Amino acid sequence: MTNACGVDFGTSNSTVGWVGTEPQHTAAQRTLLALEDGKPTLPSVVFFNADDEEVRYGRAALADYLSGYEGRLMRSLKSLLGTSLMDGQTEVAGRALPFRLLLAQFIGEVKRRAEQQAGRAFDSAVFGRPVFFIDDNRAADQLAEDTLAEVAKSVGFKEIAFQYEPIAAAFDYESQIDREELVLIADIGGGTSDFSLVRLGPDRAGRVERRDDILATGGVHIGGTDFDKYLSLATVMPLLGYGSVLRSGADIPSSYYFNLATWHTINQAYSRKSIAQLADLVRDAREPAKLQRLQHLIDERAGHWLAMQVEGAKIGLSDAETVMLGLDRLAPPENLRVERAQFEAAIGGLLDNIDATVLRLLDDAGVAPEAVDTVFFTGGSSGVGLLRSRIGALVPGARKVEGDLFGSIGAGLALDALRKFG
């Protein structure tokens, strides 16, 4: 059995894949290791419980936070890679905690849980990475990969390789087909939308070097957390004063709302400076009641709770035309009706950028849309119906296949780890 694994460190969820190499195993028999409560996904969440002075991860972290324990919740850690925030810190129980150390704690916990499940130590790993951590900035993109490699080595991985996440998903799909196909991989994750155009087939699957099979890769830094953000700004944040004005006629600064609507910046709304400035705005606002609602939300440190409600609405709108948001922690409480049409209007500009990325990919590959045999959807955010229909319309002759939305990348990374380190 190999001591190499595939690690999909995701913006929203993380998985670890591992493939056995004994004679009774085949390349297709990959394993997604159970990381929490028998489930293969571990939400990429850390909660520092100040009451118990313990660190929680994943679903347990979210449960502690929602139960009202004092502490600090961190989510979407991957979004910090390649940005100046990565060298910053947050305050936990009165102590400064560098974000790099926070990231190392989470990756280390993922490794520990995977090793416990597999019954062996993993000293080698293929990590998934988006096509672009940072759009249009090669230096920042390389810095993001280098930082992740440094963190992985600091927690005990000795050999590390990287693979584009959509290519990993392609390897997973390839293990399930019996003929050659030209496949557009659409990996819509929490932080990025990544695409690859790849020739796949059983005769190609055993090759270690697959460069000639990859016709083009592309991506854009838009994902499910951005869908959450723009849905929040369009529906919930106006209840807290977004879009309102001061008595002077000047706009209320939007930074409060953008911070609260963006997973990895929510805690910035809790800084002493931000709270003091908000108190001045309340006194000068034309609609002070809305700002007081915002003030109460921040005082209660309920920003992550609000983001979870919006995320739940987004997911609900995949199946329903309307969802009701029970915003019981607002003061006063509010029941808010959210329509799918509102959501689709809010993310329309984001989908335009995703469409442009796919068209650019086809152009880079020199491939006509009608030549694509299959679109393979993976990533939790690929469940958004309008997104699927728009990508599908770009390659109308291709059949549409849904992979394991949360597991295809981890499974493909496990196959790649076997090829590279097995």
Side-chain angles (χ1 to χ4, degrees):
M1 307 285 278
T2 180
N3 288 332
C5 64
V7 180
D8 176 21
F9 168 48
T11 302
S12 300
N13 292 279
S14 296
T15 62
V16 177
W18 171 56
V19 178
T21 57
E22 292 184 350
Q24 70 268 28
H25 291 83
T26 68
Q29 288 177 307
R30 67 272 187 211
T31 301
L32 286 177
L33 297 168
L35 299 182
E36 185 179 26
D37 299 334
K39 298 178 176 65
T41 55
L42 178 69
S44 302
V45 184
V46 182
F47 181 66
F48 294 89
N49 188 318
D51 290 340
D52 293 345
E53 296 187 351
E54 291 187 10
V55 182
R56 310 273 198 231
Y57 301 91
R59 294 171 187 82
L62 292 170
D64 272 14
Y65 170 75
L66 291 174
S67 294
Y69 285 99
E70 287 295 322
R72 178 61 60 93
L73 187 78
M74 299 296 298
R75 189 173 177 182
S76 295
L77 301 171
K78 187 176 180 179
S79 298
L80 300 174
L81 289 168
T83 73
S84 58
L85 290 174
M86 192 71 246
D87 293 318
Q89 58 191 29
T90 189
E91 184 178 304
V92 177
R95 299 189 301 272
L97 179 70
F99 286 127
R100 281 177 183 264
L101 178 58
L102 177 62
L103 191 61
Q105 286 181 304
F106 182 79
I107 297 292
E109 182 66 13
V110 168
K111 183 176 187 288
R112 186 191 68 78
R113 294 186 185 204
E115 290 175 335
Q116 184 177 44
Q117 284 295 308
R120 66 187 54 244
F122 290 125
D123 52 23
S124 304
V126 177
F127 274 75
R129 58 150 293 165
V131 175
F132 299 112
F133 280 104
I134 305 293
D135 294 342
D136 303 320
N137 189 331
R138 286 190 178 184
D141 186 75
Q142 187 61 53
L143 176 62
E145 182 179 296
D146 292 345
T147 300
L148 185 53
E150 290 167 6
V151 167
K153 288 180 179 177
S154 76
V155 300
F157 287 112
K158 297 176 182 176
E159 292 185 285
I160 297 166
F162 286 92
Q163 181 59 266
Y164 289 138
E165 289 158 357
I167 299 298
F171 293 154
D172 178 50
Y173 176 63
E174 186 174 54
S175 71
Q176 306 166 42
I177 60 177
D178 58 8
R179 63 184 178 87
E180 186 168 306
E181 298 180 17
L182 179 57
V183 183
L184 172 64
I185 306 294
D187 169 27
I188 317 299
T192 59
S193 294
D194 294 303
F195 303 92
S196 290
L197 195 62
V198 194
R199 293 196 186 281
L200 301 173
D203 294 337
R204 299 173 181 269
R207 301 175 184 174
V208 175
E209 178 52 63
R210 301 298 300 273
R211 190 170 302 171
D212 292 343
D213 295 334
I214 302 169
L215 278 65
T217 57
V220 62
H221 207 266
I222 295 172
T225 56
D226 299 290
F227 300 156
D228 296 344
K229 173 181 177 178
Y230 282 92
L231 177 60
S232 182
L233 290 171
T235 59
V236 176
M237 291 302 163
L239 299 176
L240 307 178
Y242 179 56
S244 62
V245 298
L246 300 171
R247 292 195 187 100
S248 66
D251 293 334
I252 298 291
S254 62
S255 58
Y256 295 97
Y257 308 101
F258 276 76
N259 282 338
L260 285 171
T262 306
W263 280 103
H264 65 279
T265 60
I266 289 173
N267 287 316
Q268 292 184 23
Y270 305 150
S271 71
R272 293 184 181 90
K273 180 180 179 181
S274 179
I275 291 171
Q277 289 175 338
L278 179 57
D280 292 334
L281 292 174
V282 171
R283 288 190 290 271
D284 294 334
R286 281 189 185 171
E287 299 176 277
K290 291 183 177 180
L291 273 292
Q292 287 166 352
R293 260 187 170 178
L294 174 62
Q295 214 173 18
H296 175 78
L297 182 85
I298 290 173
D299 288 344
E300 294 295 312
R301 300 294 194 270
H304 287 92
W305 164 82
L306 185 61
M308 288 177 203
Q309 308 315 303
V310 174
E311 181 184 41
K314 175 194 69 177
I315 294 169
L317 291 170
S318 294
D319 299 317
E321 292 290 334
T322 302
V323 296
M324 292 299 297
L325 276 184
L327 303 176
D328 56 321
R329 292 180 68 175
L330 295 186
E334 180 95 23
N335 287 313
L336 180 66
R337 179 185 297 273
V338 181
E339 308 282 346
R340 181 185 292 171
Q342 291 176 285
F343 175 50
E344 292 180 346
I347 66 171
L350 301 178
L351 298 187
D352 290 343
N353 288 336
I354 291 173
D355 284 354
T357 301
V358 174
L359 292 173
R360 190 161 53 248
L361 178 87
L362 294 170
D363 187 59
D364 289 345
V367 170
E370 56 269 20
V372 178
D373 298 309
T374 304
V375 181
F376 181 73
F377 289 101
T378 188
S381 299
S382 68
V384 174
L386 180 61
L387 179 145
R388 282 198 186 206
S389 64
R390 286 184 57 159
I391 292 176
L394 300 177
V395 284
R399 71 189 187 109
K400 315 306 185 289
V401 176
E402 179 180 294
D404 181 338
L405 297 189
F406 298 99
S408 286
I409 294 172
L413 290 171
L415 293 171
D416 203 30
L418 177 63
R419 293 190 188 106
K420 286 177 171 153
F421 300 118

